[in-house]
């Protein structure tokens, strides 16, 4: 009977991890038993460990070093012959950790590469078991009227030529 329970426990844990979504990978699974009080002693330390990860802040310089290394290791695909390279990353919030990555032509960045960056970030900084958010942004163009890369209307001259 003990071996059968262990087999069932392993099967349930495997099923639990198979069902988890991409954002929940690494969530610790604690099994409890009504007869063994010792199994409950893991709950509070695990919750405290997850809370500290959830509240963590990663220095911007470490994030940017990581981003440079990841892009050098696996560069994003070129779209239309032009590179779609992530330029800069910073953490903009905690609880949950939220990051902002500036990317030229963000609409062309494939979802598969976005997932790759998310998983790599989670692995590098030990953010397993907590949700993280990554916002991909295109930097605004300071030379346009609306700052989004579209040209504004041409300005007309107010002075007439030849008048002094």
């Amino acid at each position: 009977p003990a071996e059968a329970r262990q087999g069932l426990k392993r099967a349930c844990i495997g099923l639990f991890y198979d069902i988890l979504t991409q954002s929940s990978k690494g969530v610790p699974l604690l099994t409890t038993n009504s007869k063994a009080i010792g199994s409950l002693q893991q709950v509070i330390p695990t919750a405290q460990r997850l809370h500290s990860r959830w509240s963590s802040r990663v220095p911007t310089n470490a994030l940017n070093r990581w981003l440079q290394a990841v892009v050098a290791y696996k560069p994003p695909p070129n779209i239309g012959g032009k590179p779609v390279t992530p330029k800069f990353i910073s953490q903009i919030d905690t609880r949950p950790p939220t990051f902002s990555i500036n990317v030229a032509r963000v609409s062309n960045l494939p979802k598969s590469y976005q997932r790759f960056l998310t998983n790599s970030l989670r692995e590098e900084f030990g953010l397993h078991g907590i949700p993280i958010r990554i916002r991909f942004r295109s930097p605004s163009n300071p030379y346009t009227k609306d700052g989004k890369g579209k040209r504004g209307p041409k300005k007309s001259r107010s002075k007439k030529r030849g008048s002094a």
Side-chain angles (χ1 to χ4, degrees), residues 1-16 31:
E3 290 179 19
R5 277 195 305 256
Q6 286 298 324
L8 180 61
K9 179 179 173 181
R10 272 188 251 116
C12 288
I13 290 172
L15 182 63
F16 176 78
T31 57

Side-chain angles (χ1 to χ4, degrees), residues 4 6 9 20 38 50 70 75 78 88 99 101 108-110 128 131 162:
Q6 286 298 324
K9 179 179 173 181
L20 284 178
L50 287 174
V70 165
N78 289 342
F88 180 81
F99 302 92
I101 299 180
N108 293 335
L109 189 65
H128 300 286

Side-chain angles (χ1 to χ4, degrees), residues 54-76:
W54 189 55
S55 303
S56 65
R57 184 162 288 280
V58 181
T60 301
N61 63 353
L63 287 168
N64 283 303
R65 281 195 307 269
W66 163 81
L67 184 63
Q68 287 176 352
V70 165
V71 169
Y73 171 72
K74 184 178 178 183

Side-chain angles (χ1 to χ4, degrees), residues 81-151:
K82 296 180 180 180
V84 183
T85 307
K87 302 288 184 195
F88 180 81
I89 182 173
S90 62
Q91 185 172 359
I92 57 175
D93 203 1
T94 59
R95 299 183 184 179
T98 306
F99 302 92
S100 175
I101 299 180
N102 285 343
V103 181
R105 293 179 300 283
V106 71
S107 60
N108 293 335
L109 189 65
K111 296 288 183 194
S112 60
Y113 197 76
Q114 292 178 18
R115 283 191 305 273
F116 164 72
L117 289 175
T118 302
N119 291 334
S120 179
L121 180 70
R122 188 182 305 277
E123 184 71 30
E124 179 69 23
F125 296 105
L127 299 173
H128 300 286
I130 58 168
I132 61 173
R133 294 180 188 156
I134 297 183
R135 298 204 171 116
F136 294 91
R137 297 179 175 173
S138 284
S140 61
N141 185 344
Y143 298 107
T144 61
K145 186 173 184 177
D146 62 358
K148 300 206 185 233
K150 296 179 183 174
R151 292 186 176 182

